[in-house]
Amino acid sequence: MDRKKVALCPNPFRDGGLKATLRAKRILEEQGFRTEISPVFKAVSRTELPQGVVTVPIETAVRGACLVVSFGGDGTILRTAQSAAPEGVPVLGVNMGNMGFLAELEEDELDAVAAAAKGEFEPSPRMMLDVELRRGGRAVYSGTALNDAVITGVVHTIKLEAMRGGRKITKFSGDGLIIATPTGSTAYSMSAGGPLVEPAAENFILTPICAHALAIRAFVLAPDGSVEVRIGNLTEKDAVLSLDGGTPINLREGDIVSARKSKYKTILAHVGEKSFYDVAFEKLGERI
C-alpha cells in the first residue's frame, strides 16, 4: 500500500466540472499526498471533464491507494466499492446526491479528507454478496453487491421460490424479491417493508416486493451457506436481476439466482460522531 496515494472517484454528473474533486485534490497535495482521478462511470465523455484533467481507470487508481474518496450519491459509492473492496482500500464518501446515506461528508466538509488520508478514521467493514446466475446447471453470470441483489418482474408479477440448503424458505407470486445485506437494509429493502439491520451485522435479508399473500414477510438469515431463488413459470413475462441498481440481466424460467457471503468486504471510512441510528433518523425521518 502506498500511504501517500489517494484515489479520487467522482460522478461527473453530480460533481459538475469536478469542482469538489479538484478542491480535494489541492487539499491532499498540499499535505504531500499523490492523487489519481478516476470517474466511476465509463460512459463519461471528455466534454463532462474540465480541460487538462488527467484520468486513469478505476482499477489503476485504487490499486495500492491508502484511501478512495467517492464524490456523488450512494450509487457512486456502490460503484466505487466494486473496485475498492478486492484491494482492501477504505472508501470515504462525499455526498453530492439526494440521500447520501452511505456518505460521511458533505461538500462543505472537504477539509476532513486530508485527516482521513492520514488514517484518522474508524474503519467500518461491510458484508458483501457474491451472486451467481445459473441456467441449465451452468453459471452464466456472476457479480458482487454491497447493497442488494434484486429480482423483479417487468410490469407483471412473477413466481419465485427461495431455498436454503435444499429446503424451502418461502414461495410466492409478486413483483419480486430483494436479497439485501445489512448495509442494503436502509435502501430498497426498507422501502419494501424490510427491517433495518445494524451495518456491522452479517446477515442475509430476504424482502418480498408486493407479494400476493398476506402471510409473506421478510426473513433475516444467518450468513453461512447460500440462498437460492428459483424463477418460476414466466408465461412470456419478463424478469430481470440487478446488483446494486446496476445493469439488469434478463432472467428465464427455471433460472436459479444464488447469493452467498463474499470473501470481500467494503471498508467504509467513518470520520464523524454520528451513529448508525443518528444517520438513519436524520436521513429517513424524525425520531418518534
Side-chain angles (χ1 to χ4, degrees):
M1 177 184 293
D2 184 347
R3 298 198 175 277
K4 284 297 183 179
K5 175 184 174 182
V6 178
L8 304 178
C9 299
N11 177 349
F13 305 109
R14 294 285 189 181
D15 184 13
L18 301 192
K19 292 180 181 178
T21 302
L22 294 177
R23 183 184 163 206
K25 177 180 174 68
R26 289 192 295 271
I27 291 171
L28 288 163
E29 292 181 350
E30 287 172 358
Q31 295 293 318
F33 290 94
R34 294 189 303 105
T35 61
E36 291 184 341
I37 297 176
S38 178
V40 296
F41 295 98
K42 294 182 180 179
V44 171
S45 69
R46 295 303 307 179
T47 58
E48 275 89 32
L49 302 177
Q51 188 174 7
V53 170
V54 177
T55 64
V56 300
I58 190 168
E59 295 78 12
T60 301
V62 302
R63 191 175 302 125
C66 66
L67 182 71
V68 175
V69 185
S70 170
F71 300 84
D74 285 346
T76 308
I77 294 177
L78 294 175
R79 292 286 188 96
T80 303
Q82 297 291 325
S83 298
E87 298 291 332
V89 184
V91 178
L92 175 66
V94 177
N95 180 35
M96 308 192 74
N98 297 318
M99 181 68 70
F101 194 91
L102 298 177
E104 285 288 317
L105 301 176
E106 298 297 327
E107 188 176 355
D108 60 0
E109 299 174 310
L110 287 179
D111 288 338
V113 169
K118 295 175 183 177
E120 297 176 17
F121 63 85
E122 179 182 347
S124 178
R126 303 296 181 89
M127 171 184 163
M128 301 181 77
L129 298 174
D130 284 338
V131 181
E132 183 178 79
L133 169 60
R134 297 199 304 274
R135 179 172 296 154
R138 184 172 63 90
V140 296
Y141 171 80
S142 64
T144 304
L146 171 57
N147 257 8
D148 49 37
V150 179
I151 300 166
T152 55
V154 179
V155 180
H156 303 283
T157 61
I158 56 176
K159 295 180 180 179
L160 299 170
E161 181 178 15
M163 299 165 287
R164 183 90 180 258
R167 296 175 178 268
K168 184 177 73 173
I169 299 173
T170 185
K171 185 176 182 179
F172 65 94
S173 176
D175 285 0
L177 178 69
I178 303 164
I179 308 173
T181 65
T183 297
S185 72
T186 56
Y188 192 5
S189 176
M190 183 203 71
S191 298
L196 296 188
V197 180
E198 287 185 324
E202 296 189 348
N203 299 100
F204 295 108
I205 304 159
L206 302 187
T207 306
I209 307 171
C210 298
H212 286 191
L214 291 175
I216 299 298
R217 292 290 183 268
F219 289 83
V220 179
L221 308 177
D224 54 301
S226 65
V227 172
E228 297 186 333
V229 180
R230 184 185 301 275
I231 313 303
N233 185 358
L234 292 177
T235 57
E236 298 185 354
K237 298 175 182 178
D238 294 321
V240 296
L241 165 69
S242 177
L243 306 188
D244 283 345
T247 303
I249 307 299
N250 290 323
L251 296 172
R252 298 179 185 175
E253 181 178 321
D255 281 355
I256 295 177
V257 176
S258 66
R260 64 175 59 248
K261 176 184 172 183
S262 177
K263 66 179 180 180
Y264 298 122
K265 290 187 177 183
T266 293
I267 303 172
L268 295 183
H270 178 53
V271 298
E273 298 295 327
K274 294 178 181 178
S275 69
F276 165 72
Y277 310 103
D278 293 330
V279 175
F281 283 108
E282 177 181 305
K283 300 285 186 178
L284 303 175
E286 298 294 328
R287 289 185 183 273
I288 56 175

